[in-house]
Amino acid sequence: AFEAQRRAARSKSSVAADFKPDELAGLWDDSEYALKNYTGSVATADEFKSIEAELGYRLPDAYKALILLRNGGILLRNSYPNPLCRDWTTAAFSVESIYGIDRSKPHSLCGSRGSKFWQQEWGYPKIGVVIADTISAGHEMIFLDYSDCGAEGEPCVVSINQESDFELSYVADNFAQFIRGLVPAEDEGADEE
């Protein structure tokens, strides 16, 4: 019921894409590993068109705006508070990285560990695009979910848990809200204290 209510209430129109510098402060990990495996070269309009054609989905404007600033990477602000925290769920979703569009990086939308890999090799549902990974080493992934807006619409963000028969959990109404809601893992319970 919670997910249905959130999906019904959210806008399926394109969301403003501008990120202010303070919204992205402390977002990225600049380690050698992150830069080698996740962060790609400067993205171009032609690359976005090619990725969208290959995946079959229009990428959100907010995603494109972020990738133009930084083409993917590992996150320092790597926790998103769970909007439906119940006794048996975690207080927050762990989000290790955001996938960029540089195909030469294994952890990018169309890289060797990209969206198609997770759907074809691991059996994740074909509801959209794998946009981020988690600390679970593939057993839980973050998706842009187009199931209620179509391939050209504004997707919501969901977590899918492979270990729980691909259980879907609603995370955020759109990609911009998702990025703006990320906090460092140690801050996830700060409001409860």
Side-chain angles (χ1 to χ4, degrees):
F2 169 80
E3 181 186 331
Q5 184 180 36
R6 290 286 298 266
R7 285 180 185 271
R10 77 181 191 89
S11 172
K12 293 171 184 72
S13 300
S14 185
V15 175
D18 294 332
F19 288 107
K20 295 176 178 41
D22 62 316
E23 292 176 309
L24 302 179
L27 183 64
W28 301 108
D29 175 352
D30 289 326
S31 69
E32 185 178 329
Y33 177 81
L35 297 174
K36 179 181 177 185
N37 293 287
Y38 287 85
T39 304
S41 59
V42 177
T44 68
D46 287 341
E47 284 178 299
F48 281 119
K49 287 178 190 173
S50 173
I51 295 289
E52 289 175 322
E54 183 174 332
L55 294 173
Y57 294 98
R58 180 196 65 81
L59 295 169
D61 292 342
Y63 173 80
K64 292 177 183 177
L66 181 70
I67 297 306
L68 286 171
L69 296 172
R70 171 108 173 208
N71 195 351
I74 293 178
L75 299 169
L76 290 176
R77 289 184 5 217
N78 58 359
S79 184
Y80 191 91
N82 189 339
L84 181 61
C85 193
R86 298 172 284 187
D87 291 344
W88 63 91
T89 61
T90 59
F93 295 99
S94 168
V95 186
E96 290 300 300
S97 72
I98 300 294
Y99 285 4
I101 64 167
D102 186 334
R103 284 181 170 88
S104 71
K105 301 298 177 178
H107 302 281
S108 65
L109 295 186
C110 293
S112 62
R113 298 270 188 233
S115 198
K116 287 184 178 180
F117 168 81
W118 295 110
Q119 292 169 332
Q120 292 170 356
E121 299 295 323
W122 281 58
Y124 277 93
K126 295 180 179 175
I127 60 165
V129 178
V130 174
I131 200 74
D133 56 12
T134 69
I135 62 169
S136 71
H139 296 282
E140 183 178 17
M141 301 299 287
I142 306 295
F143 273 71
L144 293 174
D145 179 357
Y146 292 80
S147 61
D148 68 349
C149 66
E152 295 295 317
E154 186 71 18
C156 61
V157 178
V158 300
S159 170
I160 300 178
N161 189 325
Q162 181 257 351
E163 292 291 319
S164 296
D165 198 26
F166 299 102
E167 179 184 20
L168 185 146
S169 297
Y170 195 89
V171 177
D173 291 344
N174 55 61
F175 185 78
Q177 182 185 63
F178 174 66
I179 293 298
R180 290 180 174 123
L182 288 168
V183 297
E186 63 270 9
D187 290 351
E188 70 187 49
D191 293 339
E192 297 169 10
E193 294 176 6

